[in-house]
Every structure is written in structure tokens, then in C-alpha cells.
Amino acid sequence: MNQQDSLTAYLAAFVAELVQTGIKDVVVSPGSRSTPMAMVMAEHQEISTHIHVDERSAAFFALGIAKVTNKPVAILCTSGTAAANYFPAIIEARYSRVPLLVLTADRPHELREVGAPQAIDQIHLYGHHVKWFADMALPESSTEIIRYARTVGARAAAIASQAPAGPVHLNFPFREPLIPNLDEAMFQLEERPMGYVKVRNGDLTIGENEMKDISLKLKEYNNGIIVCGNIADDRFAQAVTDLSDMLKFPILADPLSQLRSGQHNLENIVETYDTFLRNEDAKEYLKPDVILRFGAMPLSKALTIFLKENHQAEQFVIDGAGGWRDPSSLSTEMIYCNETIFCEQMLAVSETRTSPEFLDRWRAVNNLTKANMALIKDSQQLSEGRLFYQLADMLPDEATLFVGNSMPIRDLDSFFLNNHKSIKVIANRGANGIDGTVSTALGAGLYTQPLYLVLGDLTFFHDLNGLVTAKLYGIDITVIVVNNNGGGIFSFLPQSQHPKNFELLFGTPLNLDFEHAVRMFNGNFTRVRDWEQLGELMKESIEGKGLNVYEVVTNRNSNLTEHREFWRIVSEEISNFVKGVR
């Protein structure tokens, strides 16, 4: 068998095994050295091949697909700096626990470190940011090497999916000629045609006796809270709300917990904590003696400070992926158990509490805070607070809402209230960067609709080329760009107290007209005049097709003033309420 036949047999076996593991999507960035893998993948009828010229954006596009499917997505590029451009998305995948299979083509060993063109050191290129790395063997057609290729494919997909999910890197050295011999029979495997090796991943659990021991400990405390961060399990909402009802503990629900919107019981879900936990009287009134925490660390700085200040409380961190999500070293028990299973088993071994006094306190303060949102909802000028306050009303049932980092995700945390619309909220909160936000959202849009993206002007600019996938693949998306002409979040940080070089270093106004860029990608652009127009546009978006971008122009200084005034008014009301109760 000649070199081309060996190349084809090797790669066809590898690709066929990936399909057997459940991988259906691959995002390919064109290049020469990756030619054989790309051509073989494009031939498999069960693989959807998506082309994206920019590797950085391509990797985030794949990340978005993986976020909504919860299945590994493959990305393929040529050798050299193409592979380096994958790095930001790989970091995000690692820290947000998203499965990616990173396939990089490389020069063969004899062309490494000898000055060959487009050859860089790709061995362990991503360091500890991938869960596993393998420098693949050169293609051969021997029985042993075919088995090796299939085994590595199955193993890589399994490791990427295994909790905590994350990226895996396989580096493929290819010799020329790079063109495989394609034919219809190349994917027909004689040995174990239904998959060479099946890897079964299970959920982490703890024993019944340990669960009973935890239940007895919780029974000793009356003033407990449940804090929920980013959770991807669809079953979790029902399980944790049932547990809350049994324990009479309020749930402090981060917007990415998927608990603020859905058909589950919302009665015990507290969503305005980011506002009222800025008040000292409220924090003393709501002081817990035990804390159950699920999922990623919460977005809210006010909540994070509250958890730190209550370091005397017993803090149970439940992590079904066996990580260590405790940056402030507060946990008294680290429980490695699937979050949904933990709630269900705790329900089975615990007794229902009869006294909801502490829960009622949290509900009362939460309701008082919501009642005082008139300052935000009645704002006549276009403002960021009111935008996020109105989002739940403007979005259709079962919409997917992707939110950019910096101020948008924080305003969502503050002003996105409980609702029964089953709105799925997504963001890139692994490394919290603004990289690839547009691309990630559009990747999600392949599998979830209707899709809405809300982000700031700097974040939009940072990934403008990501819009090309909306054009290439006809992905429907409504984008709301909050344009405050710069980095609005820095106005809330200590840097703002040093005005001399604030605009130069942090405000960074770009003064861009995004209309021209949106038109380039065959999109529709509207600069919003007022709230009435935005409401009409959002109604039209429900039936809208293609790329539609609505720019909401706001003022950074006014935004800061509005937020501070709102916090001041609510703080006064809460202090009066708490003192009146006491």
C-alpha cells in the first residue's frame, strides 16, 4: 500500500471512530497541511463541516456549538500560527468546562526545528489548558496503527466529555503528498465496525451514609441559603427548587444558573441580591449560618463579598466535576457529587422544615428591591439598566440570550428578573474575556433559536469578523449593541477616580459607525431612537430572519449616575424596612 493509501486508511479510521463517539460537527479553517484531514472529514455523510477562515473566530464558533449541544466539537487547522490562534477559545473551554477536540496539522518530525516554513513547536502548545495532548503517529495502514488511530479518537472524545469537560489536543504530522485517495468504501471498517472501543463516563456520587451525615448537619441550622452559579444540567432546576422548599432556604440564582426563567417554581428564587447586598443593614438581617453552593462562582461582586464576610458559616460546595471552586478558601466541605443527584438524594433522606422565617426575610427584601425599580423602568432616556430590566418582557418564550462580558452581564445580573418564559442565558464566563463573543453566540445559533445577543461596543468590535458565519450559514440572530463609546465598566472601578489619563487608558472611545460593517455581512442595522422603537423592533425580531443589529446608544456618565442613584434609593428603603422590623 502506498503512502496515499496509508494516509487515507489512517484518517478514515480515525474520523469514523469520532462519528461513533457522537461527534457530528467540525469547524475547519482552510490550510495546506491540514488538507488530508479536511478532505476526509468533508466526505463523511454524518459530519457537518463548517468553514471559517479565521482560526480564532472558528474556535469560538465551535465553542458555541458545544455549549448548547453539550457534545464535543472538533476544530481543525493547518500548522504554524493558525494553531496559536485557537488559544483564547481553548482557555475559555477549559475554564468554562466545554468539550472541544482540537486537531492541528503539523510538519513531520524531520521538518521540525530545521527552519522549514510554517513550522513552529506545536508539542504541548496549549500547556495545561488542555486536558490531554497526543502527538499522533505518522499515518500507516498496518493493523496496529489503524487500531491506535481509532483508540485515540475514542479516548480523546471521552476525555473531552468527562467531567469536568474541556479541550483535548491531537497534533497530526503529515508528509506530502497531502491528497488522500477518496472513495465511498473508505469508512467501511472491517474490525469492530460499530466502534473500536466504547468509553463510558459516569456521574460522581457519594454514598448514602455520607448523604445522611450531611442531612443531619444541615438539620442543625435554621438560617441557610443556596447559591447557584452556572449550571448546564436541565434537570437541576426542578431538583434544587424542591430541595429549597424542603429546607426552607432561599436560592440566590445567578442569571447563568438557568433558574430565573423556566416552568419550575420561582417562589424561593431571589434575583435582586446584587442590589440589596450592598446595604449593611440587609447583610446583617440576612446573615446565614450555613451555605450550600452549586455551580460556578457567582457573577455578583456584592454576593462574593457577602460570602467572604460570612466565613463563620458552614459552606458546602457541591461540584459534580470534582473541581475546586473556592477562590476565597471559604468551604468547610467539598462534596464531589453530581449537583442534581445530590439534591434528589438529599430530598430522600431529609425531613421538611416547618419554619420559613429566614426564607421569608429574604423574600421580603427581594420583593422590596423589585418594588423600588421604578427609577430604572421609568427612565425615558436610553439606558443600560432599563434595557436589561425590560429584556424578559421583550424576549419571546424559549429564546436563547447570549450576553457579553463587562457591563452587560453585570446589568443582566442586577435587572433580569424571574419569569416563566424558559429563556436560556449563556455567556463566556470561563476566563471572563470579551474574545470571540459574536462567534460563540453564532455557533450556539446553529442549534438553538430564536437567538439574541446583547453586548457592548468594544466586545462587538473585538469580534466583528465573527459575523461572517451568519452570512455563510444563514444563522438568524438579533444583536443589541449597547454603545457607550468605550469601556463602561471602568467607570465603576477605582480607575475612574484618576481622570488624568482615564479616557486614554480605560475609556478608550472608538467613535465607530457599525452600520458599514453590518452591511458588509448582509445584515440589517438600526440605530434605536427611543424605547418605543426598540419595543417594535423586538416584536418584529420574533419573525425576523438573518442578521439584525440594533444599536442602543447610551452615555457612560449617565449610566453610572443612574446605577448609583438606584442603589442609594433602594438602600434607604431597605434600611428603613429592616429597622422597622427590628
Side-chain angles (χ1 to χ4, degrees):
M1 186 176 288
N2 62 32
Q3 193 268 345
Q4 282 183 289
D5 290 335
S6 296
L7 177 69
T8 305
Y10 177 85
L11 291 180
F14 173 78
V15 171
E17 193 70 26
L18 290 188
V19 172
Q20 291 294 337
T21 68
I23 290 180
K24 303 296 183 185
D25 292 278
V26 58
V27 182
V28 178
S29 295
S32 177
R33 191 60 54 167
S34 55
T35 293
M37 180 76 81
M39 291 182 69
V40 170
M41 283 183 155
E43 286 293 311
H44 203 294
Q45 294 184 350
E46 295 183 43
I47 287 183
S48 296
T49 303
H50 316 283
I51 305 300
H52 202 311
V53 175
D54 180 351
E55 288 84 7
R56 177 174 169 273
S57 184
F60 278 106
F61 185 71
L63 183 82
I65 299 173
K67 272 180 175 284
V68 296
T69 62
N70 292 317
K71 294 180 180 178
V73 175
I75 52 178
L76 171 65
C77 72
T78 190
S79 62
T81 56
N85 282 303
Y86 278 165
F87 214 157
I90 288 170
I91 291 171
E92 178 62 30
R94 178 64 188 231
Y95 288 103
S96 59
R97 301 181 175 182
V98 176
L100 282 184
L101 184 56
V102 184
L103 309 176
T104 56
D106 200 355
R107 261 46 180 174
H109 300 75
E110 67 270 18
L111 293 181
R112 297 177 182 176
E113 303 294 339
V114 293
Q118 205 170 321
I120 68 171
D121 184 358
Q122 296 178 197
I123 307 303
H124 293 289
L125 178 62
Y126 308 115
H128 295 295
H129 290 98
V130 293
K131 296 179 66 180
W132 183 52
F133 166 77
D135 190 28
M136 300 293 289
L138 285 160
E140 293 181 20
S141 58
S142 66
T143 300
E144 291 78 7
I145 293 299
I146 294 299
R147 288 173 178 170
Y148 158 81
R150 296 180 67 187
T151 299
V152 170
R155 181 181 177 187
I159 292 174
S161 301
Q162 185 182 51
V168 167
H169 178 204
L170 303 181
N171 190 56
F172 285 83
F174 294 133
R175 289 194 179 109
E176 296 181 348
L178 299 171
I179 306 300
N181 293 324
L182 304 178
D183 64 74
E184 295 180 357
M186 66 178 174
F187 296 113
Q188 295 177 8
L189 303 172
E190 295 181 4
E191 186 178 19
R192 305 183 192 176
M194 301 308 293
Y196 192 76
V197 56
K198 186 175 182 64
V199 182
R200 300 183 184 273
N201 285 326
D203 292 318
L204 280 176
T205 61
I206 59 175
E208 183 179 356
N209 288 337
E210 289 179 299
M211 195 66 71
K212 289 180 178 178
D213 180 59
I214 296 169
S215 176
L216 288 174
K217 287 184 178 179
L218 293 178
K219 192 176 181 179
E220 299 175 7
Y221 302 104
N222 293 317
N223 300 344
I225 62 173
I226 299 172
V227 177
C228 294
N230 190 355
I231 294 277
D233 189 348
D234 292 336
R235 304 168 301 154
F236 178 70
Q238 187 62 54
V240 76
T241 50
D242 287 346
L243 181 63
S244 167
D245 192 53
M246 172 175 277
L247 296 177
K248 299 298 184 289
F249 289 178
I251 299 174
L252 282 62
D254 185 277
L256 299 178
S257 68
Q258 314 307 327
L259 293 175
R260 295 192 190 183
S261 184
Q263 298 304 309
H264 51 277
N265 186 359
L266 302 175
E267 187 178 2
N268 294 347
I269 294 185
V270 173
E271 76 270 48
T272 66
Y273 52 80
D274 184 64
T275 295
F276 65 71
L277 287 181
R278 299 169 189 268
N279 176 276
E280 295 300 323
D281 292 322
K283 289 195 287 186
E284 183 63 29
Y285 183 61
L286 302 172
K287 195 177 184 66
D289 49 26
V290 65
I291 300 166
L292 298 180
R293 192 163 62 74
F294 298 89
M297 287 298 296
L299 296 167
S300 169
K301 185 174 183 179
L303 175 54
T304 300
I305 292 172
F306 180 70
L307 296 177
K308 288 181 181 179
E309 290 173 343
N310 285 283
H311 56 84
Q312 84 294 336
E314 293 283 320
Q315 297 204 24
F316 297 76
V317 177
I318 298 91
D319 190 347
W324 199 269
R325 287 169 156 171
D326 186 21
S328 302
S329 300
L330 298 171
S331 60
T332 52
E333 295 205 24
M334 192 66 69
I335 302 168
Y336 292 150
C337 179
N338 174 276
E339 292 86 354
T340 300
I341 292 174
F342 176 88
C343 293
E344 292 172 345
Q345 291 186 347
M346 189 59 60
L347 285 165
V349 299
S350 302
E351 298 178 359
T352 301
R353 296 173 185 261
T354 56
S355 174
E357 180 184 349
F358 189 66
L359 172 61
D360 288 342
R361 287 188 183 187
W362 279 85
R363 284 175 179 164
V365 174
N366 191 54
N367 290 333
L368 178 63
T369 303
K370 287 194 285 188
N372 279 276
M373 284 191 170
L375 178 68
I376 297 296
K377 69 181 181 181
D378 294 336
S379 173
Q380 294 305 304
Q381 67 176 359
L382 294 175
S383 71
E384 296 166 34
R386 179 170 172 178
L387 171 64
F388 286 93
Y389 178 81
Q390 292 188 170
L391 265 181
D393 291 333
M394 293 191 293
L395 294 175
D397 291 349
E398 299 184 344
T400 295
L401 173 63
F402 202 105
V403 184
N405 282 322
S406 296
M407 278 308 298
I409 192 69
R410 287 168 173 81
D411 279 331
L412 185 83
D413 193 10
S414 296
F415 303 115
F416 186 75
L417 304 183
N418 294 342
N419 62 86
H420 285 295
K421 286 189 171 183
S422 299
I423 298 168
K424 185 177 182 66
V425 182
I426 312 176
N428 282 344
R429 293 300 294 177
N432 301 356
I434 64 172
D435 315 53
T437 301
V438 174
S439 298
T440 312
L442 283 163
L446 277 179
Y447 286 95
T448 181
Q449 288 288 338
L451 173 66
Y452 293 79
L453 169 62
V454 184
L455 74 176
D457 55 301
L458 295 187
T459 304
F460 190 49
F461 166 74
H462 207 266
D463 192 28
L464 270 177
N465 62 341
L467 293 174
V468 73
T469 53
K471 176 183 177 182
L472 293 177
Y473 300 110
I475 302 171
D476 299 329
I477 183 171
T478 299
V479 181
I480 301 177
V481 179
V482 181
N483 191 347
N484 56 27
N485 199 24
I489 191 170
F490 291 105
S491 297
F492 291 80
L493 300 179
Q495 293 92 316
S496 63
Q497 303 304 312
H498 302 273
K500 181 180 179 181
N501 292 309
F502 179 79
E503 283 297 289
L504 172 68
L505 298 175
F506 305 106
T508 58
L510 299 181
N511 298 303
L512 292 177
D513 186 345
F514 290 114
E515 181 173 3
H516 307 294
V518 173
R519 302 291 185 201
M520 181 173 69
F521 295 107
N522 293 347
N524 302 306
F525 179 88
T526 305
R527 186 167 291 110
V528 176
R529 297 186 308 270
D530 50 38
W531 293 115
E532 183 179 359
Q533 184 191 22
L534 179 61
E536 292 301 318
L537 289 170
M538 292 297 286
K539 289 177 183 177
E540 294 172 6
S541 72
I542 297 175
E543 302 296 331
K545 297 295 182 182
L547 167 64
N548 294 284
V549 177
Y550 308 144
E551 182 185 61
V552 177
V553 178
T554 63
N555 181 281
R556 275 186 271 138
N557 292 330
S558 298
N559 182 53
L560 177 64
T561 301
E562 180 184 65
H563 280 68
R564 286 180 172 171
E565 181 65 9
F566 171 65
W567 292 332
R568 184 191 65 79
I569 291 174
V570 171
S571 184
E572 288 181 0
E573 291 288 332
I574 289 174
S575 291
N576 291 336
F577 169 77
V578 171
K579 292 172 182 177
V581 171
R582 290 174 179 168

